Amino acid sequence: MPGNPEAEAKKDLGNKAFAEKEYDEAIKHYTAAISIDSKNCVYFSNRSACHGGKGDWEKAANDAKECIKVNPEFIKGYYRLANAQSEQNQFDAALSTVRQGMAVDSNNPQLQKQMRQIKAKRDNQRRVENATKTATSAAAESAPIRSLDPSVVKEVQDLQAQLRTTAKEFRDVQGRIRRAQLAKRTSELTKNQLKELPDGSYSKLYRPVGKMFMLASESEINAHLDETIEKEGKNETSLSSKMEYLEKMMKSQQQNIQELTKSASE
């Protein structure tokens, strides 16, 4: 059944603004569409995407929930909600949302991929938390070294300095992974949203070139997004391997400090 013509006109304006990354303008148009027809789940879904583009994940989640409430069969609502929850590190809630969506469409490839991504992000977050605890524990347990032999004290201090350096590098890699994930997810979100645009909406699309933006065709925009998704995906994989290596190194350094202080005090 076709939507309200007036509301659909507002949606089209919102789609064009979104394509140009004018999120506030797009939100204004989608809100107008909702005020005309609040029973159309697509308007809530699109406004959720705009909030996500701005990094306002709480509002993105709220609109996604409304989208699901209006139409529980609309799969993209579950995808939007799970994405917003994942961005807020609410991994259990995000996985639960994906499962709800898969109860509607068990073979949906987008939800299947999203579940893998959320699990990977959750596991990565747990590694970060464990590594942080390791570094903190090492610093606390090695505090009473002044009572040891001076030569042992020097060796322990050297090991502590190495641990601090490794922990600093670990945090740097962790930040680079987050940036790679954000760039990849932003490109995926934009690519998915572009698929929803009606024919002829690509007349004023731009792609970044350094610090500038250039007018580009539909194929150029999609090629750029695909290139970014592939590049940042490989970057994330490489950095994740490095983070695992640094985590093992911190645990080894902590163990060396503990063994050295223990043997010297016996």
Side-chain angles (χ1 to χ4, degrees), residues 98 102 106-117:
V98 174
M102 293 181 73
S106 60
N107 296 317
N108 186 278
Q110 191 175 36
L111 291 180
Q112 291 173 344
K113 180 180 179 181
Q114 187 179 40
M115 177 168 283
R116 293 193 297 271
Q117 292 174 332

Side-chain angles (χ1 to χ4, degrees), residues 85-263:
Q85 291 168 328
S86 177
E87 288 294 338
Q88 297 176 85
N89 291 338
Q90 300 170 359
F91 302 120
D92 290 339
L95 290 172
S96 176
T97 297
V98 174
R99 293 188 186 99
Q100 291 174 30
M102 293 181 73
V104 178
D105 182 1
S106 60
N107 296 317
N108 186 278
Q110 191 175 36
L111 291 180
Q112 291 173 344
K113 180 180 179 181
Q114 187 179 40
M115 177 168 283
R116 293 193 297 271
Q117 292 174 332
I118 293 172
K119 287 181 177 179
K121 187 178 179 183
R122 178 198 61 189
D123 294 343
N124 177 63
Q125 182 67 22
R126 287 175 178 174
R127 286 199 302 270
V128 170
E129 292 173 353
N130 290 336
T132 302
K133 290 178 182 178
T134 296
T136 303
S137 176
E141 293 179 8
S142 60
I145 64 171
R146 295 183 180 83
S147 61
L148 301 177
D149 181 270
S151 62
V152 176
V153 170
K154 178 64 169 62
E155 191 172 353
V156 171
Q157 288 175 336
D158 288 343
L159 287 171
Q160 287 177 328
Q162 293 173 17
L163 176 58
R164 286 193 294 272
T165 299
T166 306
K168 183 177 181 299
E169 187 176 1
F170 181 91
R171 290 191 295 271
D172 176 66
V173 171
Q174 177 189 356
R176 290 165 63 190
I177 288 176
R178 283 199 296 265
R179 290 192 291 274
Q181 291 173 332
L182 178 60
K184 180 183 174 184
R185 282 194 294 271
T186 300
S187 294
E188 289 175 335
L189 179 65
T190 302
K191 188 174 176 65
N192 288 332
Q193 191 67 19
L194 289 177
K195 292 178 181 178
E196 298 179 1
L197 294 179
D199 294 337
S201 298
Y202 288 91
S203 57
K204 292 185 179 181
L205 290 181
Y206 298 82
R207 71 180 183 88
V209 179
K211 294 184 178 180
M212 301 175 62
F213 289 87
M214 292 183 60
L215 190 66
S217 65
E218 174 185 352
S219 60
E220 289 173 331
I221 290 289
N222 281 303
H224 173 72
L225 291 172
D226 288 337
E227 181 182 345
T228 300
I229 291 168
E230 181 180 4
K231 174 187 172 183
E232 297 301 343
K234 290 180 178 178
N235 192 24
E236 180 186 355
T237 299
S238 175
L239 289 170
S240 295
S241 297
K242 185 173 183 179
M243 190 169 69
E244 290 178 5
Y245 167 76
L246 291 171
E247 181 182 1
K248 292 177 182 178
M249 183 180 291
M250 283 193 294
K251 289 180 179 179
S252 175
Q253 291 168 337
Q254 179 191 25
Q255 185 177 0
N256 289 339
I257 292 172
Q258 293 171 337
E259 290 177 352
L260 185 59
T261 54
K262 181 179 179 180
S263 61

Side-chain angles (χ1 to χ4, degrees), residues 52-63:
K54 294 179 63 179
D56 191 340
W57 297 109
E58 184 175 354
K59 288 185 178 179
N62 290 338
D63 269 343

Side-chain angles (χ1 to χ4, degrees), residues 3-17:
N4 181 290
E6 186 180 356
E8 285 294 293
K10 298 294 184 183
K11 185 197 77 171
D12 291 342
L13 291 174
N15 288 350
K16 292 179 181 179

